[in-house]
Amino acid sequence: MTTEVLLDTNTYLRLAKRIRPAVGCQFGQVPYVVVILKVVEEEVHRNPKLRFKNPWFDEPEFAQERLAKQTRLSAADKQDMKLVQDVLMGTVQLEIDKYTSHGRSPPGPTDCWLLAYGQIKSAIVVTDDLGMHTLAEEAGLRVWHGFEMLAKLRSAKVVDNDLVRDIYDALERNGDMTDTWRTAKHEEFKRIFGPKPKGND
C-alpha cells in the first residue's frame, strides 16, 4: 500500500527544482509517493513575490510534470475535504493566539485544504509552516518538515550528499533558510555538515 506524501507550496519550491522528477517520485520501503494538488499552482500564480523568486516554476519541464502527475480530486473527495477544512479553520479561530504567537501566521484556507487531504487520504503533508504543524498535532494528522523528507530521500538513495549540500546552498542564497532547516543541518545531516559550530547558538 503506497502512502502519499503531499507537498505544500513552499516545500515544492524548495525541493522540486533539484530533485528530478519531484512529483510522482517513489521512495522508501513503505513505499512513499510524492504528490501535489492544484492549489499549489494557484498559490504561486497569484503571488507575484513567489513567481519572481522562482522563475523556473512555469518552465515547460516543471509545468508539464505537474500537469501530468497532479492529483485529481473527485467530487466526493472535494466534499469530504471541505467538511474537514471547515473544522480545521474553526479550530484555528477558537485558539487563534496559539497560531499567532512568536510572529507566526495562522493556517489559512489553502493550508487547511492540504491538511484535509491528509485526513481524507491518509497522506503525509510536508510543510515547514509551524502553524500547520501545531494544527496537525491538534487534529492527529501526520506531517513532516521539508528536511525530514529530504533525509528520507537520502536514506532511500534518491538524493546523495552532494545534492543535499546543493539544496542547502540554494536555501542560503535565496534567503529561504528556516530555523528548522538550519537546526537540521547539524543534527539530521551531521554526517554531511559536521557538528554545530560552537558559539552559534
Side-chain angles (χ1 to χ4, degrees), residues 12 20 32 34 36 38 52 82 94 103 115 137 143 156-157 162 179 189 199:
Y12 176 83
R20 309 294 310 130
Y32 299 110
V34 177
I36 62 166
K38 189 177 181 181
F52 177 77
K82 182 67 172 67
L94 282 172
L115 290 173
E137 185 177 348
V143 286
K157 296 181 167 49
D162 287 341
D179 289 341
F189 302 109

Side-chain angles (χ1 to χ4, degrees), residues 79 97 111 130 163 165 170 182 184 187 189:
Q79 185 174 16
D97 290 347
D111 302 323
L130 297 181
L163 188 52
R165 289 189 194 95
R182 190 173 289 109
E187 292 182 358
F189 302 109

Side-chain angles (χ1 to χ4, degrees), residues 179 182-183 186-187 195-201:
D179 289 341
R182 190 173 289 109
T183 300
H186 299 289
E187 292 182 358
K196 185 178 180 181
K198 291 182 179 179
N200 284 10
D201 296 328

Side-chain angles (χ1 to χ4, degrees), residues 2-200:
T2 302
T3 297
E4 291 184 328
V5 176
L6 176 66
L7 306 187
D8 80 343
T9 303
N10 284 324
T11 306
Y12 176 83
L13 294 175
R14 287 181 180 122
L15 298 178
K17 186 178 180 181
R18 289 168 180 81
I19 299 173
R20 309 294 310 130
V23 185
C25 172
Q26 294 198 25
F27 64 98
Q29 295 180 338
V30 171
Y32 299 110
V33 61
V34 177
V35 299
I36 62 166
L37 297 181
K38 189 177 181 181
V39 291
V40 167
E41 192 109 15
E42 293 168 346
E43 190 164 35
V44 174
H45 284 156
R46 68 171 178 261
N47 187 317
K49 184 178 178 181
L50 288 181
R51 291 204 312 275
F52 177 77
K53 288 182 67 175
N54 301 278
W56 57 269
F57 183 82
D58 281 322
E59 289 176 4
E61 174 187 358
F62 300 98
Q64 289 167 12
E65 176 186 302
R66 292 193 303 271
L67 183 63
K69 297 180 179 178
Q70 192 176 91
T71 298
R72 267 82 177 171
L73 298 172
S74 68
D77 286 338
K78 290 178 181 178
Q79 185 174 16
D80 290 344
M81 286 171 62
K82 182 67 172 67
L83 292 173
V84 176
Q85 181 191 37
D86 288 346
V87 171
L88 292 172
M89 291 292 292
T91 300
V92 172
Q93 292 304 315
L94 282 172
E95 300 183 273
I96 194 69
D97 290 347
K98 180 187 293 187
Y99 299 98
T100 54
S101 60
H102 308 295
R104 292 183 297 184
S105 298
T110 298
D111 302 323
C112 291
W113 185 251
L114 296 176
L115 290 173
Y117 185 91
Q119 169 79 46
I120 298 302
K121 297 292 189 178
S122 299
I124 299 166
V125 178
V126 187
T127 178
D128 293 309
D129 184 311
L130 297 181
M132 286 179 70
H133 278 261
T134 300
L135 181 56
E137 185 177 348
E138 289 278 320
L141 303 175
R142 297 171 70 191
V143 286
W144 291 345
H145 286 283
F147 73 81
E148 291 179 274
M149 177 177 153
L150 184 61
K152 292 177 189 299
L153 289 169
R154 177 174 170 267
S155 296
K157 296 181 167 49
V158 174
V159 302
D160 59 18
N161 291 351
D162 287 341
L163 188 52
V164 172
R165 289 189 194 95
D166 286 347
I167 289 169
Y168 264 91
D169 286 347
L171 294 179
E172 290 278 15
R173 285 196 309 273
N174 296 337
D176 199 23
M177 183 75 72
T178 69
D179 289 341
T180 52
W181 276 85
R182 190 173 289 109
T183 300
K185 184 174 184 178
H186 299 289
E187 292 182 358
E188 197 75 40
F189 302 109
K190 187 175 180 179
R191 289 186 179 181
I192 302 175
F193 298 104
K196 185 178 180 181
K198 291 182 179 179
N200 284 10

